[in-house]
Amino acid sequence: MNIVVLMKQVPDLVEELEVDAGGTLLDRAWLRFITSEYDDHALEQALLLKEQHGGTVRVLALDMGEADEMLFTALAKGADSAVKLSGDFATGIDSHSAAGIYRHALEGASFDLILTGVQAIDDLDGPAGAMLATHLGLPYIGVVSGIDVDTANGEAHVRKEYPGGLLAEFTVDLPAVIGIQAAMQPPRYVPISRIRQTMKTASIDETAAQGERIAGAISVERMYKPERAGSATMLEGSADSIAERLLDILTEHGIGR
Amino acid sequence: MHANILVIAEHLKGRLSGIVFEMLGKAHALATETGGGVEVLLMGHGVRALAEELGLASRVLLCDHPALAAYTPQACLDVAEQVIARRAPDLVLIASSSMGLDIAAPLSVRLGVPHVSSCRDLRITAGRAIVTSQMYGGKMLVESHLDLRGAIVSVLPGAFPEDAGRIAREAVIEALPVEGLDAPHMRFTRLIEQSGTDIDITQTPVLIAVGRGIQNRENIAMVEELAAIAQGAVCASRPVVDQGWLPMTRQIGRSGMIVKPKLYMALGISGAPEHVEGMKDAELIVAVNTDAQAPIFGIAHYGVVADIADVVPALTEALRNAHAPA
Amino acid sequence: MDLTAAPFLGIPEYALLWALSAVCIGLFALRIAFFVRILRLAKPESRLHHIGKRLRMVMTDVLVQPRFFDRTSAVHAIVWPVHLVIFWGFVCYAVTFGWSLVKGLVPGLPIPWPEEIPIVATLVDLFGGIVLVALAIAAFRRYALRPRGVKRTVDAGIILVLIALVMLTSLAGAAAGIAGRGEATPEAWLPFAGMLAGLFTPSGAPALQHAFWWSHMGIVLGFLAYLPYSKHFHLLASPFGVFLGQTDAIGKMRADDSAEVEGRFDLRDFTWRELLTPLACAECGRCDRACPSYNSGEALSPQDLVHGLKEHVLAAGPLLLRANGGAAALRPAMNGAFPPDAVWACATCASCMEHCPVRNEHLPLITRARRRLVSHGAVDAHLRDTLTAFARYGNSFGQSERARAKWTQGLPFRLKDARKEPVDVLWFVGDYASYDVRVQNITRAVATLFDRAGLDVGILYDAERNAGNDARRIGEEGMFEMLAEKNVAALSHCTYNRIVTTDPHSYNTLRNEYPDYGLSAPVVHHTELLLDLVRGGALRVSPLSIRATYHDPCYLGRYNGVYDAPRALLRAVGVELAEMPRNRRDGYCCGAGGGRIWMEDRPGSGERPAESRVREAVALGDVTVLVSACPKDIVMFQDALKTTGNEGALAVRDVAELVLQAAAAFAPAAQEV
Ligand SMILES: Cc1cc2nc3c(=O)[nH]c(=O)nc-3n(C[C@H](O)[C@H](O)[C@H](O)COP(=O)(O)OP(=O)(O)OC[C@H]3O[C@@H](n4cnc5c(N)ncnc54)[C@H](O)[C@@H]3O)c2cc1C
Ligand code: SF4
Ligand code: SF4
């Protein structure tokens, strides 16, 4: 079972986000990066599968944010190798271009499964994993929260989440790309000492990112913060008029139908 | 320039999702504005009855095939690609849902058209689509402009009013041939209903939470009623769980569950940090509390200074009326 | 009289005594050798410094045994005198036994029998009688009163009977002696034997006396052989345990010495002193009764942990010895001896250690197990999130470090930035004091007091990190090191004379553990500093008239012995103090320590420690305020006030809040906080 995991760094929402002077990008001066939550789950799922079936886990990431820290942490958790694709990603990268780079890096490689987060908080043009599957001509299923691999038949049984607590089960021929919503166990904790040790003993393979950037397909004209006051909008009046207002608000948000 | 818009429908267990009507209503308005038309692509097997519900569209394109009986990403992707290539719409709307997420981005790669996700608002001005997307967990809005050359937009559920798409009108249905679904690499096997002893509140989009302000066990019944009508579940702060009024699986907060529902309604909860930690990332937070100074109002989007006993029955009633067939 | 000179079945009795002694002492020695060999497998640890202190510990804890005095109830309080009498009786009998044995083994040795010396005979008689009474009380307590947490094992019964028999055979022998002497004046005063003498006829007495002597010797020799195979090995091990007890501050944890051997967690991962702990355990249950988690019905019993380790030593030790330390004998100690639920339930309050009569050390065992669990990533989801937050943001709240000094906003004066200008006192604020909205008021109160007193004080602003005290006690040693390194690095760029902290957990590690990382400045708690300021007149106060009770935070009290400063400070501002029954070294933990405050609630546990504590304060009846000096306490007790329905009955306050109240009259006109 050889698994490739695509991981990426996204802005950490713990810090206030600000828009830069150009008005279309986040202000990088205040940004701090964190591993995309779903990618952490993808890694965990890969490690679980490795524990079950043997094989290797190889992590791929673009050189953005704290990519080194993320990759060393993945190695400390049990990944076998880590590849950092370097390039100029100072202002981020769209998913279409990222998918192109991954395609280049993976063409000709041998693997049984590619796992990645189903989405990320900054995927304006959609999840790169789904696009990569198209590039590689592999099947793709996203929003998956459970995988069992049948190595004998070269297939995986995956469970995809639907609204209302429903799960749909699919059988997918391998190799395939899976967009992970949640691993079958919460991502494991890895002690600091192990990460520090890994930084001393293991290494990250670094190669230049290749594949043309598909830019400009969407042009961002404006980025701004939603009006969301620090404190609540207070509703006043009689119980019935408040109820009516609440009903409108819920309807506006598509709730309660 | 008139915009022809294609909406891709989705359905589950014999029902069209609400988002389909949201998209249809919006598409209809935009098409009317620009003098274009709306087509809905409906894939499935034996789903003509559903097509009948989509009368607002200029035309319902019905792809009926046994291989489409249950949603399967690969099959839907293939069919949608064929249809889009053939109909060449100016704009394609897909739900930003479990199903839509699988196909929107691959379609954009296959068809070589742009794709914008998480749309919360959509306009057409001067021949371009202006899409407002919700990014970074809702902390930023991003406005992007697209040429109307088949761009794909993934629409967040709840972005547009659903009623606008539910206008009853006789549907124009055109059955399209379906080809090339013979050697699938992906097969649907079954639907699994979450069983288990208690519902998983981390997966429930609507949560009505009660705190000590509920005062006694009996009062929880009225909140259960509200939750049922809002299709949500009741959860609680720790003191309520400590009392044994609700099971531990319903406790929100540091020592309970961490949730991110679409709606979190906090009834009689003061907003202690341990509690807030479990629910602060909810998309919409509504707080009801008799104390105007309660810290919960600091993180809620909407606040009501009132007694639970007054607000809850009134809201239940209002929701019930809204549901009653007009 | 030579008791062993005559032959028995043709063999001289002294020869029989030689044989019996050889067998019993041999069995005894074998077992001791076994334990010594096991301890030698374990890791090294140095326990021979502070000899003077060690001898003092032995003098008190072995000879006087004050730790046996358990105030919590009469049924426990009685144990101290009872045990002391039995102990000293035992010592007396051990001496006379050894003496008799030598005399019996070597007939004709030119020394008298012990009983031939009047004063010795009287002592033996008196002890015999008093010990029998004490044994009866002990048995009554254990079997009739059946106090909670006291086990009724077979072992416990056997020992009571054996000691009684030792005493009885001795007394009966003496009684037979009196009877045999007939009307002759007694050589010594033997009140108890005298009472029994009437049971014997003068003619049969000598033979009986002989028989009693033999049974006495036989029972004691048998006892000797049985002892190290039973729980009563503590009789022998505990004096060593006390002598080799911890003499350093308990707040200083040893660094992680576990080699990163995947999958191995067995005896060899412990130090010899840690393995001595279960051998010295008397199974008295004091640690359980003192343990807040145990009392709350959590999965933890410190006694069981210690006992589990003993069973592990007994089961795995022989295998390991036979395999000569080879991998074949691998028998992991986790799960069996250290169930994770129990290990995580500990609030590291050190109450168990403080109350253990043989100075056993539970916490090093628990930390060892925790470190092992952490190294496998086996932490619950909430703890994982907290640890991740420590790593990323340096605080448990998962908030940006940039928000650390947000609480200073709105102060009517400027608090110096110690990174930019020299200060006299550097204030290490701590996480809860900085980030928790319920505690920030207290932090601002402290700042106001410092300002009023004209103290030259500054803080580290964004550069402060969680001090790592609790991370270390969670078993995440690498995290502690990282946090400590960052804090020490930040401090090394500042100029200051001493450190004050509002957080007892930080206080503990800054004071006891940071010196290993290069910190040399003195560290004080804010109550100590405020006391100086009030006493020195820098802070003027007018007395309050409040009746309050004070809760000792574990990391201030038991860990660092700061019991008096907060109390003196409260009195100095006119607070009338009432003590809760559990105060000072008996102080009852709020349940937040050791990372407990960040762990998931488990269903089915009983009254939380903080609730028990709040009820204790309310039960005093006439106090209106529960005062503490630790931010985590404030959070825990405020919560417990709600859950116990005592919000109206009691207010929870930090000492500093009361001081500020008392100083209100002297506030500059423009300043009101
Ligand atoms: C270590 C630790 C872990 C904790 N973990 C959790 C946790 O996981 N989850 C959790 O929830 N708590 C947790 N707590 C407890 C937390 O600190 C608070 O005590 C708790 O959240 C308070 O619950 P509450 O808001 O329901 O009650 P309160 O704080 O008592 O608030 C009740 C509110 O109801 C309002 N009210 C009263 N009557 C009415 C009425 N008729 N109509 C409307 N409003 C009314 C009042 O104004 C008040 O604001 C934890 C505490 C600690 C110390
Ligand atoms: S330290 Fe405290 S909580 Fe832990 S075992 Fe000892 S008494 Fe119990
Ligand atoms: S560890 Fe100490 S307190 Fe606990 S049972 Fe043993 S001797 Fe008693």
Side-chain angles (χ1 to χ4, degrees):
Chain A
M1 202 63 217
N2 294 325
I3 307 173
V4 172
V5 182
L6 310 178
M7 296 182 77
K8 87 168 179 180
Q9 291 271 294
V10 296
D12 186 346
L13 300 181
V14 158
E15 300 292 349
E16 271 301 304
L17 298 184
E18 298 296 340
V19 181
D20 77 355
T24 62
L25 291 172
L26 290 180
D27 186 346
R28 299 254 142 188
W30 293 103
L31 272 195
R32 133 190 235 152
F33 286 89
I34 188 170
T35 302
S36 174
E37 185 188 342
Y38 301 107
D39 292 348
D40 241 347
H41 278 268
L43 173 65
E44 181 62 34
Q45 186 60 59
L47 295 171
L48 291 173
L49 287 174
K50 175 185 153 179
E51 280 163 13
Q52 236 185 335
H53 301 284
T56 61
V57 172
R58 156 183 257 227
V59 182
L60 243 65
L62 303 183
D63 187 8
M64 289 193 301
E66 309 291 335
D68 285 5
E69 196 189 304
M70 170 174 76
L71 290 173
F72 278 122
T73 305
L75 289 169
K77 284 184 178 181
D80 299 276
S81 60
V83 181
K84 184 169 75 174
L85 300 161
S86 52
D88 177 17
F89 306 119
T91 56
I93 182 172
D94 60 276
S95 300
H96 281 74
S97 306
I101 293 171
Y102 287 135
R103 167 199 198 164
H104 222 279
L106 288 171
E107 253 168 0
S110 90
F111 52 81
D112 303 295
L113 202 53
I114 298 177
L115 300 184
T116 186
V118 60
Q119 57 184 356
I121 54 167
D122 61 350
D123 280 344
L124 181 60
D125 58 338
M131 303 183 205
L132 174 65
T134 307
H135 284 311
L136 298 174
L138 298 178
Y140 174 82
I141 299 188
V143 203
V144 167
S145 59
I147 305 184
D148 296 309
V149 168
D150 177 350
T151 39
N153 292 314
E155 55 188 30
H157 306 288
V158 304
R159 285 173 294 284
K160 176 181 173 69
E161 292 192 357
Y162 283 163
L166 273 180
L167 292 174
E169 192 178 73
F170 295 89
T171 301
V172 190
D173 293 341
L174 300 181
V177 183
I178 308 290
I180 297 289
Q181 167 85 13
M184 288 158 83
Q185 273 171 28
R188 64 195 64 193
Y189 180 73
V190 54
I192 298 286
S193 57
R194 173 112 23 99
I195 299 177
R196 285 185 161 189
Q197 189 61 30
T198 309
M199 286 181 169
K200 281 187 216 133
T201 54
S203 64
I204 293 173
D205 306 328
E206 190 169 342
T207 55
Q210 294 180 31
E212 72 261 37
R213 303 276 294 263
I214 308 165
I218 358 175
S219 62
V220 172
E221 299 290 321
R222 188 156 88 96
M223 183 181 283
Y224 58 102
K225 290 194 192 184
E227 287 167 36
R228 204 259 231 207
S231 58
T233 309
M234 303 306 286
L235 310 180
E236 281 153 23
S238 70
D240 288 330
S241 66
I242 287 172
E244 284 306 322
R245 277 283 284 128
L246 280 176
L247 185 63
D248 290 345
I249 292 163
L250 299 195
T251 315
E252 242 171 71
H253 284 79
I255 294 159
R257 286 176 308 231
Chain B
M1 169 193 168
H2 53 240
N4 288 319
I5 304 176
L6 178 75
V7 173
I8 299 188
E10 66 174 50
H11 52 91
L12 184 59
K13 292 173 84 181
R15 286 184 56 179
L16 288 162
S17 313
I19 174 76
V20 176
F21 297 102
E22 289 184 38
M23 294 191 292
L24 179 54
K26 185 69 188 176
H28 179 74
L30 290 174
T32 312
E33 228 174 85
T34 61
V38 179
E39 294 182 334
V40 179
L41 167 60
L42 179 64
M43 298 174 270
H45 187 49
V47 288
R48 181 164 277 268
L50 296 184
E52 307 284 0
E53 294 180 37
L54 298 164
L56 189 61
S58 327
R59 184 176 296 134
V60 180
L61 308 172
L62 180 60
C63 292
D64 191 298
H65 191 281
L68 296 171
Y71 164 82
T72 309
Q74 194 183 20
C76 288
L77 184 55
D78 291 346
V79 172
E81 183 191 2
Q82 291 165 22
V83 173
I84 295 171
R86 205 170 313 150
R87 311 300 289 197
D90 301 306
L91 194 62
V92 178
L93 302 186
I94 301 182
S96 186
S97 63
S98 180
M99 297 178 183
L101 267 174
D102 286 351
I103 59 175
L107 275 176
S108 96
V109 173
R110 287 193 183 186
L111 296 162
V113 296
H115 166 237
V116 184
S117 68
S118 308
C119 163
R120 245 190 53 178
D121 196 17
L122 174 61
R123 282 173 292 147
I124 294 183
T125 315
R128 303 194 88 196
I130 300 171
V131 185
T132 306
S133 302
Q134 185 175 310
M135 286 282 104
Y136 305 108
K139 295 213 165 169
M140 282 287 169
L141 294 177
V142 175
E143 195 178 286
S144 29
H145 295 200
L146 306 171
D147 288 335
L148 288 175
R149 275 186 313 220
I152 298 172
V153 175
S154 293
V155 181
L156 284 176
F160 308 118
E162 192 181 314
D163 295 347
R166 286 202 184 265
I167 309 289
R169 218 161 67 172
E170 177 138 8
V172 182
I173 301 173
E174 180 181 338
L176 295 185
V178 179
E179 294 145 19
L181 295 182
D182 334 306
H185 285 294
M186 190 187 288
R187 297 160 295 280
F188 169 83
T189 43
R190 61 187 175 128
L191 269 188
I192 306 166
E193 308 259 356
Q194 299 275 68
S195 48
T197 44
D198 195 22
I199 50 157
D200 180 359
I201 53 172
T202 63
Q203 301 298 327
T204 310
V206 173
L207 290 177
I208 316 288
V210 293
R212 281 211 312 159
I214 194 73
Q215 275 143 2
N216 57 52
R217 173 181 241 140
E218 288 64 47
N219 284 341
I220 292 183
M222 82 183 164
V223 181
E224 296 276 7
E225 197 182 341
L226 170 61
I229 285 205
Q231 294 176 28
V234 178
C235 56
S237 68
R238 195 172 78 177
V240 172
V241 172
D242 276 357
Q243 294 294 324
W245 297 344
L246 283 170
M248 278 233 7
T249 46
R250 305 288 184 99
Q251 180 175 325
I252 305 293
R254 174 155 263 301
S255 19
M257 304 287 170
I258 312 277
V259 294
K260 295 180 185 172
K262 282 172 71 106
L263 169 68
Y264 191 88
M265 190 175 288
L267 305 174
I269 290 177
S270 62
E274 287 85 8
H275 185 82
V276 167
E277 238 175 272
M279 44 66 76
K280 62 178 189 309
D281 293 326
E283 274 175 43
L284 177 67
I285 300 171
V286 177
V288 180
N289 198 306
T290 43
D291 175 9
Q293 301 304 318
I296 190 77
F297 291 128
I299 63 141
H301 302 98
Y302 294 94
V304 181
V305 179
D307 197 309
I308 303 176
D310 297 331
V311 175
V312 169
L315 182 58
T316 311
E317 200 49 37
L319 272 166
R320 189 175 288 136
N321 292 338
H323 276 275
Chain C
M1 173 179 76
D2 254 335
L3 285 165
T4 53
F8 180 71
L9 298 176
I11 309 169
E13 282 193 4
Y14 67 85
L16 289 174
L17 190 59
W18 273 103
L20 184 63
S21 305
V23 169
C24 292
I25 295 176
L27 282 171
F28 176 83
L30 258 177
R31 188 64 163 177
I32 303 295
F34 164 72
F35 285 131
V36 170
R37 282 164 69 212
I38 287 184
L39 295 190
R40 291 181 52 147
L41 282 180
K43 288 198 173 117
E45 181 178 349
S46 146
R47 282 286 168 120
L48 290 172
H49 51 303
H50 301 148
I51 292 288
K53 198 168 176 188
R54 292 179 190 287
L55 289 174
R56 273 200 303 283
M57 295 195 303
V58 172
M59 298 298 266
T60 51
D61 287 349
V62 177
L63 306 189
V64 189
Q65 309 176 350
R67 283 179 175 229
F68 272 86
F69 189 55
D70 183 339
R71 264 168 284 254
T72 51
S73 72
V75 60
H76 295 315
I78 187 69
V79 173
W80 178 53
V82 165
H83 191 271
L84 200 62
V85 164
I86 299 177
F87 169 78
W88 277 107
F90 205 86
V91 169
C92 168
Y93 272 71
V95 171
T96 55
F97 165 78
W99 184 339
S100 293
L101 185 64
V102 173
K103 184 88 173 118
L105 289 173
V106 189
L109 201 67
I111 54 167
W113 291 95
E115 291 79 10
E116 287 169 357
I117 301 168
I119 176 76
V120 176
T122 302
L123 263 180
V124 166
D125 182 83
L126 286 178
F127 267 121
I130 300 172
V131 166
L132 280 173
V133 173
L135 286 173
I137 296 174
F140 180 74
R141 166 178 176 269
R142 188 178 292 260
Y143 295 99
L145 299 180
R146 300 178 159 245
R148 201 170 75 87
V150 176
K151 299 207 164 106
R152 284 168 293 277
T153 52
V154 180
D155 253 3
I158 291 181
I159 190 99
L160 287 179
V161 171
L162 271 178
I163 300 179
L165 284 177
V166 168
M167 303 298 151
L168 279 174
T169 48
S170 164
L171 286 179
I178 296 174
R181 240 177 269 116
E183 301 303 317
T185 30
E187 293 161 18
W189 181 58
L190 304 174
F192 290 102
M195 285 197 278
L196 296 177
L199 296 176
F200 309 110
T201 57
S203 56
L208 274 176
Q209 189 185 3
H210 189 217
F212 281 130
W213 186 85
W214 265 101
S215 27
H216 180 76
M217 297 309 279
I219 288 168
V220 176
L221 281 171
F223 191 42
L224 200 61
Y226 157 79
L227 189 70
Y229 295 87
S230 74
K231 82 156 195 170
H232 303 288
F233 185 59
H234 82 267
L235 252 62
L236 291 165
S238 57
F240 292 99
V242 170
F243 180 75
L244 297 163
Q246 188 160 5
T247 50
D248 303 324
I250 57 166
K252 181 175 160 69
M253 257 173 65
R254 279 194 303 277
D256 192 0
D257 57 0
S258 63
E260 264 289 314
V261 186
E262 276 304 327
R264 202 192 99 182
F265 183 58
D266 63 27
L267 297 180
R268 292 162 295 176
D269 285 311
F270 293 85
T271 70
W272 62 265
R273 180 59 188 79
E274 287 163 355
L275 292 188
L276 186 59
T277 288
L279 303 185
C281 173
E283 296 178 22
C284 72
R286 277 181 179 66
C287 49
D288 279 354
R289 295 197 295 274
C291 173
S293 294
Y294 178 83
N295 289 333
S296 287
E298 298 275 352
L300 171 63
S301 146
Q303 178 178 205
D304 283 353
L305 285 187
V306 168
H307 190 71
L309 182 57
K310 178 163 173 181
E311 302 209 310
H312 183 72
V313 167
L314 296 181
L319 290 178
L320 214 50
L321 288 174
R322 226 172 293 142
N324 220 353
L330 208 153
R331 181 178 273 233
M334 196 50 79
N335 298 320
F338 294 99
D341 269 3
V343 167
W344 287 124
C346 172
T348 67
C349 71
S351 184
C352 47
M353 293 174 55
E354 185 74 37
H355 289 95
C356 177
V358 303
R359 288 188 176 264
N360 266 345
E361 295 161 27
H362 310 69
L363 278 171
L365 303 179
I366 290 173
T367 317
R368 208 172 264 296
R370 285 184 166 191
R371 282 177 179 162
R372 187 47 63 133
L373 288 166
V374 168
S375 85
H376 289 281
V379 296
D380 83 32
H382 291 264
L383 198 51
R384 184 198 61 214
D385 291 349
T386 304
L387 290 173
T388 311
F390 276 144
R392 285 189 66 75
Y393 314 110
N395 65 71
S396 61
F397 288 75
Q399 288 185 29
S400 169
E401 57 261 45
R402 293 182 196 126
R404 184 173 274 277
K406 241 182 173 167
W407 64 268
T408 58
Q409 287 169 10
L411 282 179
F413 50 87
R414 196 184 66 88
L415 203 50
K416 278 188 174 181
D417 186 339
R419 297 170 300 177
K420 302 199 178 114
E421 49 191 317
V423 292
D424 172 30
V425 181
L426 191 144
W427 180 8
F428 195 98
V429 186
D431 274 17
Y432 271 76
S434 299
Y435 285 103
D436 195 298
V437 285
R438 290 162 298 192
V439 187
Q440 285 172 348
N441 276 335
I442 297 170
T443 316
R444 277 191 286 267
V446 174
T448 307
L449 289 170
F450 287 168
D451 181 64
R452 294 238 186 110
L455 194 72
D456 178 19
V457 61
I459 62 174
L460 287 172
Y461 284 86
D462 305 1
E464 184 183 305
R465 295 284 174 278
N466 181 289
N469 186 72
D470 297 9
R472 191 168 212 196
R473 277 141 192 94
I474 284 166
E476 185 22 323
E477 185 74 1
M479 182 77 73
F480 165 71
E481 280 170 12
M482 188 181 86
L483 293 168
E485 283 162 16
K486 286 192 175 163
N487 280 319
V488 169
L491 288 168
S492 71
H493 292 118
C494 306
T495 310
Y496 59 95
N497 298 317
R498 55 197 166 132
I499 294 178
V500 64
T501 176
T502 17
D503 176 37
H505 297 245
S506 304
Y507 176 80
N508 180 62
T509 188
L510 289 173
R511 185 189 171 107
N512 297 311
E513 299 178 326
Y514 272 43
D516 287 353
Y517 292 80
L519 187 72
S520 53
V523 181
V524 295
H525 186 249
H526 72 285
T527 54
E528 298 173 297
L529 183 55
L530 287 175
L531 181 62
D532 282 350
L533 295 175
V534 170
R535 281 191 174 152
L539 255 185
R540 295 212 290 153
V541 290
S542 61
L544 303 168
S545 50
I546 293 179
R547 210 169 134 77
T549 187
Y550 174 73
H551 161 86
D552 288 288
C554 304
Y555 279 90
L556 204 55
R558 263 191 302 274
Y559 272 77
N560 290 292
V562 182
Y563 294 119
D564 294 325
R567 288 181 169 82
L569 180 57
L570 285 171
R571 286 200 196 91
V573 299
V575 172
E576 193 193 332
L577 264 185
E579 291 288 355
M580 288 181 274
R582 296 176 290 192
N583 62 65
R584 294 181 179 251
R585 60 179 287 268
D586 294 333
Y588 200 66
C589 174
C590 74
R596 285 293 293 159
I597 199 166
W598 302 303
M599 291 177 209
E600 261 166 62
D601 280 347
R602 276 172 243 288
S605 34
E607 182 186 52
R608 294 191 181 96
E611 295 172 345
S612 164
R613 193 60 161 162
V614 161
R615 292 208 173 96
E616 187 178 358
V618 171
L620 290 177
D622 55 354
V623 302
T624 49
V625 189
L626 170 59
V627 192
S628 185
C630 169
K632 289 196 180 88
D633 278 334
I634 302 291
V635 171
M636 298 300 284
F637 291 147
Q638 276 184 1
D639 180 49
L641 275 187
K642 290 182 188 173
T643 51
T644 57
N646 278 309
E647 272 165 304
L650 204 63
V652 172
R653 294 279 180 274
D654 188 274
V655 180
E657 289 178 286
L658 297 186
V659 178
L660 186 63
Q661 212 176 317
F666 302 95
Q671 196 176 303
E672 261 307 319
V673 175

